[in-house]
Amino acid sequence: MTDDRRTTSPSALDVEAELSPSAASFPGPSAAASRPPPLRWKKNLALFCLTVVSVFVAGTFWAQVTPKDDSVLSLLKALLQGWPFAVPFLSILLAHEFGHYFAARAHGVEASLPYFIPLPLIGPLGTMGAVISMKGRIKSRNALLDIGASGPLAGLVVALPVLFVGLMHSEVHATSGPALQEGRSLLYLLLRRLAVGPIPENHDVFLGPTAMAGWAGLLITALNLFPVGQLDGGHVAYALFGKRQDRYGRAAHFLMLALFVGNVVYFTRHFIADGLSDALRAGVANGMPWLTWFGLVYLMLRMGGREHPPTEPGELSPGRKAIAVVTLLLFVLLLMPTPFGTY
């Protein structure tokens, strides 16, 4: 996730705020000759350390570990046992954020180190991801594509093998009645089939902590690839479509609201047919992730502007056009109609 002050890329996740167009003018010769400011890292390191602890706490939940007593040693031992979730999940987040960071630096865009956001005990993942602050202008579509796509692609390079290995070590059990289930995308279903094979009727894969880390990596990547605003997908789409993306982005934003309504209608009818007494409440709960994400993106657009910052005239190079198309196709393959809910 990136947060530029005149540019590219929540990880929830991954968003960027911009400067006004007037603040994005080209630097003069004296500015170009000046030395870059020193890299600030103390606050970033402190937030990352807090996020590590928070994610390890979440890992104890997914590993189903509880401390034997209230002693510090017992709590520490329990915390360390959360590593099968925490280590791979943090690796995915680090790959995503530093993908943005190194791409920005390669194009001469001043970028901060990632600011990780700890979320202890409240969220199931232990973090809301991270943001990178960028100052200066992303001048070309090529640079915008590189910076926008580098984070999701780098994160997927780690998330896909993590998920595959985690699925191989997850167990298949019989199911009985509605249960909380992870969202399923086309790419997730393909990996599950390759790793586990055919699943008998009335059975399901119960994800272990490492598989859950990989699945969470796919979910975060899908949310960030939504082609709207200054999410990663918004940058990629703007690099490909130019000003037309402002119109496409508004449609993509309301797709989130449509997914919320679709989940509520579908699951309410499904739960009524199953005789569930509070079918409407359960249906709304299944759609709530999309309503929440719609609201967060709305706030992002209000603060950062509904129109994407323009780049200099020029088209994407042929190779980068292919990367942009593949990245947006990955969004389709990663999209989970119901991110998580009761089935």
Side-chain angles (χ1 to χ4, degrees):
M1 166 182 189
T2 62
D3 176 19
D4 63 25
R5 301 291 163 176
R6 174 29 180 154
T7 183
T8 199
S9 182
S11 295
L13 8 248
D14 199 27
V15 65
E16 307 162 292
E18 305 186 355
L19 293 176
S20 63
S22 61
S25 57
F26 292 102
S30 60
S34 63
R35 299 179 63 182
L39 186 64
R40 303 179 186 278
W41 56 270
K42 293 182 180 179
K43 184 182 294 185
N44 309 78
L45 179 60
L47 286 171
F48 177 69
C49 291
L50 290 173
T51 301
V52 168
V53 175
S54 181
V55 172
F56 266 85
V57 171
T60 63
F61 170 76
W62 296 115
Q64 299 182 1
V65 176
T66 54
K68 295 180 179 179
D69 52 56
D70 294 334
S71 67
V72 174
L73 182 60
S74 180
L75 292 172
L76 182 60
K77 287 182 177 179
L79 195 67
L80 293 176
Q81 291 182 64
W83 75 264
F85 170 82
V87 172
F89 184 56
L90 288 168
S91 299
I92 294 167
L93 293 181
L94 285 168
H96 184 125
E97 297 306 327
F98 277 98
H100 288 309
Y101 175 80
F102 288 122
R105 288 280 175 162
H107 283 283
V109 177
E110 184 184 336
S112 72
L113 291 169
Y115 291 93
F116 283 85
I117 307 170
L119 192 67
L121 303 177
I122 300 174
L125 304 180
T127 179
M128 287 188 65
V131 295
I132 290 177
S133 174
M134 294 187 182
K135 299 179 180 179
R137 177 172 182 155
I138 298 180
K139 299 178 182 179
S140 69
R141 286 193 183 186
N142 285 340
L144 182 63
L145 184 280
D146 290 351
I147 296 172
S150 57
L153 295 180
L156 280 178
V157 168
V158 181
L160 291 176
V162 164
L163 177 60
F164 187 81
V165 171
L167 285 168
M168 291 181 64
H169 290 85
S170 297
E171 298 180 354
V172 177
H173 296 295
T175 58
S176 58
L180 187 64
Q181 294 183 10
E182 77 284 1
R184 283 93 186 269
S185 65
L186 293 174
L187 186 55
Y188 172 78
L189 291 173
L190 174 61
L191 283 176
R192 191 179 71 163
R193 177 66 182 234
L194 293 174
V196 181
I199 299 175
E201 187 177 358
N202 297 324
H203 286 66
D204 202 357
V205 180
F206 286 71
L207 300 186
T210 300
M212 183 56 64
W215 173 84
L218 264 59
L219 174 64
I220 286 175
T221 303
L223 294 176
N224 279 296
L225 280 179
F226 237 95
V228 57
Q230 292 203 63
L231 295 174
D232 296 339
H235 294 313
V236 172
Y238 190 90
L240 184 62
F241 301 122
K243 287 295 293 180
R244 289 175 293 169
Q245 168 55 22
D246 291 333
R247 184 170 68 254
Y248 301 156
R250 286 191 288 271
H253 187 205
F254 280 96
L255 174 60
M256 300 175 188
L257 196 58
L259 286 166
F260 165 71
V261 174
N263 272 278
V264 172
V265 172
Y266 173 81
F267 282 105
T268 299
R269 294 179 61 185
H270 173 74
F271 291 140
I272 288 175
D274 286 348
L276 193 65
S277 59
D278 51 353
L280 178 59
R281 183 199 60 79
V284 171
N286 277 9
M288 190 55 66
W290 286 121
L291 185 61
T292 302
W293 193 235
F294 175 85
L296 289 173
V297 172
Y298 173 78
L299 293 175
M300 178 195 76
L301 294 174
R302 286 294 300 269
M303 293 186 294
R306 292 187 174 276
E307 294 187 353
H308 194 285
T311 60
E312 290 179 351
E315 298 294 324
L316 279 177
S317 64
R320 286 184 172 88
K321 282 185 178 179
I323 293 173
V325 171
V326 168
T327 304
L328 293 178
L329 286 176
L330 279 171
F331 164 68
V332 176
L333 295 175
L334 290 168
L335 183 64
M336 301 176 186
T338 307
F340 47 86
T342 302
Y343 291 70

